[in-house]
Amino acid sequence: MSLFSRGECNNRVGEIMESFSVAEKPASSVFGKDPTVEVATVFCTALDSRKKMISNNPRVVGIRDTESVQSFQRHLADARRMVVVGNGGIATEIIAETNNVEVVWAIKHKSIAAAFLDSGAAQFLLPRLNAAEPPTEAFKKRFKHVHEASRRNAGEECFGSALGPDWTEDLLISGACQDKKVYIEYQCAVDEILTPEEFRQRHLSLSDLPDSFSCQTDWQVYVVLTNHQVIGCDLVVSATGVHPNVDLWLTPENQFKLGSDGGLLVSDQMETSIEDVYAAGDACTAGWTWSPHWLQMRLWTQARQMGAYAGICMASNLRHERAVLDICFEIFTHVTTFFAFKVVLLGKFNGQGLRPDHETFVRITP
């Protein structure tokens, strides 16, 4: 049993703290020989979520933390073509930041980046898909989150920290081609992932792609989509969302109440159904009555807000007080970057909860 999980050195984490590191130690180093020693009277879990994987094929990678990004870089280095499955923030950032590779983007919606943008706003980004050079991003005044490579023994499985907002900076995300091409397959999902042997045994034919794409037929993996398209590629990126990472806590002795999405259900004090056990971030599901302009999404911004508020709630509990629900839960806020354009999301930013017969007025300023 390990009391602390192995982490990475994180720099510039606040106005006062410049850096910190996390070391892995056995629980016995704290408990000693007496297992009845009490370390804390309250406990909070803030485990990162687990990425959803569409296949266990070794040529299918998911991106969720710093370790998975490094694996993605290694696989992409010799890839001529990749298929990106998903239409959220990670998928959109991958499309924007990768270079020198053919990309087939498979999405289940009618427009790109549907998790954040309506179809009208998504049209604004389409001209940037195949742009040779992205626009220069404005100078950032906030602290940046950077990571130093963690030290671990060869062959040891190690999970990195969450990506945060700056994960693509200073990364060389490049394939084996001379330039970048992007083609989108709309309103589809992955039906099957085939090895080269399975592809030949099924006597399938590759689907036609734009003339600018390679006509090669020898690929390391083949993707069969629900629209009956068959795409050959060297790499598949699974970016279809995440699961709350709570399996560690679900035992016969711990009867936690779960939300509809599988997260630990928490009250407005961030407390789970078990007294003095708290949860925050991707591990939890907000179980209180939400503000009309707030919604829960498993994003790094909300994880940070929930973690800070959970600390206040735990301290209030020790003083036998109730914390006042933080103002960050009054209105949804998130700032991100797509194709070097800053995107600011406020409230029910995508018309969540509106009737289907509503009218939308959109103004686009070049």
Side-chain angles (χ1 to χ4, degrees):
M1 173 182 177
S2 295
L3 185 64
F4 306 106
S5 61
R6 182 182 297 275
E8 300 180 351
C9 181
N10 294 263
N11 298 323
R12 304 178 67 179
V13 295
E15 295 183 6
I16 299 176
M17 184 180 295
E18 289 294 327
S19 65
F20 70 90
S21 59
V22 182
E24 185 173 0
K25 298 180 180 180
S28 58
S29 66
V30 175
F31 293 122
K33 296 182 178 180
D34 184 2
T36 64
V37 174
E38 293 187 5
V39 178
T41 57
V42 294
F43 172 78
C44 179
T45 175
L47 290 177
D48 197 10
S49 52
R50 292 180 290 110
K51 52 186 177 288
K52 296 178 181 177
M53 295 296 293
I54 57 177
S55 172
N56 58 3
N57 187 297
R59 279 285 162 176
V60 178
V61 300
I63 296 181
R64 184 59 188 171
D65 54 22
T66 52
E67 293 291 326
S68 59
V69 168
Q70 294 170 10
S71 174
F72 169 60
Q73 282 183 284
R74 291 192 298 269
H75 283 85
L76 181 63
D78 61 353
R80 298 159 293 171
R81 179 187 298 164
M82 71 173 178
V83 174
V84 177
V85 184
N87 201 19
I90 294 294
T92 305
E93 288 178 309
I94 291 172
I95 299 297
E97 299 298 333
T98 51
N99 294 294
N100 300 330
V101 66
E102 295 179 356
V103 182
V104 177
W105 191 2
I107 62 177
K108 65 179 181 180
H109 305 93
K110 296 181 180 180
S111 60
I112 65 171
F116 296 97
L117 305 176
D118 59 67
S119 57
Q123 290 291 325
F124 182 74
L125 298 180
L126 284 179
R128 305 304 313 178
L129 286 180
N130 290 289
E133 292 292 337
T136 302
E137 189 173 353
F139 175 74
K140 294 180 180 178
K141 296 182 179 180
R142 64 167 172 78
F143 285 117
K144 293 183 180 180
H145 298 68
V146 297
H147 306 272
E148 294 179 0
S150 59
R151 298 179 180 178
R152 65 181 188 273
N153 298 326
E156 177 185 355
E157 184 179 11
C158 181
F159 297 97
S161 59
L163 293 179
D166 305 311
W167 71 275
T168 59
E169 292 196 5
D170 302 322
L171 282 179
L172 179 61
I173 311 178
S174 181
C177 297
Q178 298 299 316
D179 56 4
K180 173 183 175 181
K181 305 178 183 69
V182 180
Y183 174 71
I184 304 174
E185 285 283 356
Y186 292 98
Q187 294 182 278
C188 66
V190 172
D191 189 17
E192 292 181 277
I193 301 290
L194 304 178
T195 64
E197 293 76 14
E198 292 171 334
F199 175 76
R200 287 191 291 268
Q201 292 172 2
R202 298 274 291 274
H203 303 290
L204 297 174
S205 299
L206 292 175
S207 300
D208 293 332
L209 292 175
D211 294 339
S212 59
F213 276 61
S214 169
C215 297
Q216 299 181 49
T217 58
D218 58 321
W219 301 101
Q220 300 192 49
V221 65
Y222 295 84
V223 181
V224 182
L225 302 176
T226 53
N227 60 1
H228 308 298
Q229 299 296 303
V230 181
I231 310 296
C233 61
D234 293 324
L235 177 65
V236 180
V237 178
S238 177
T240 55
V242 296
H243 293 289
N245 190 14
V246 298
D247 293 347
L248 175 65
W249 313 115
L250 302 181
T251 66
E253 296 78 20
N254 298 327
Q255 298 296 325
F256 285 101
K257 289 184 179 179
L258 301 180
S260 58
D261 57 1
L264 299 178
L265 195 66
V266 296
S267 67
D268 61 356
Q269 299 297 296
M270 305 306 293
E271 190 173 23
T272 67
S273 56
I274 297 181
E275 186 178 4
D276 292 335
V277 177
Y278 295 74
D282 291 356
C284 77
T285 299
W288 63 86
T289 301
W290 296 355
S291 164
H293 302 292
W294 187 83
L295 68 156
Q296 183 177 7
M297 294 183 71
R298 285 181 165 81
L299 303 169
W300 71 270
T301 45
Q302 283 199 351
R304 184 174 183 178
Q305 292 167 349
M306 285 183 168
Y309 177 59
I312 295 174
C313 292
M314 295 168 71
S316 298
N317 182 2
L318 294 175
R319 295 194 299 266
H320 305 289
E321 300 173 354
R322 285 183 60 85
V324 178
L325 191 64
D326 195 274
I327 193 173
C328 68
F329 300 109
E330 285 295 315
I331 181 171
F332 175 90
T333 59
H334 184 64
V335 178
T336 187
T337 302
F338 294 145
F339 297 93
F341 293 110
K342 180 178 287 187
V343 179
V344 180
L345 306 173
L346 299 175
K348 300 294 182 67
F349 57 89
N350 210 357
Q352 292 92 337
L354 290 179
R355 289 166 31 186
D357 58 347
H358 69 275
E359 293 184 1
T360 304
F361 295 91
V362 179
R363 183 180 68 180
I364 299 177
T365 303

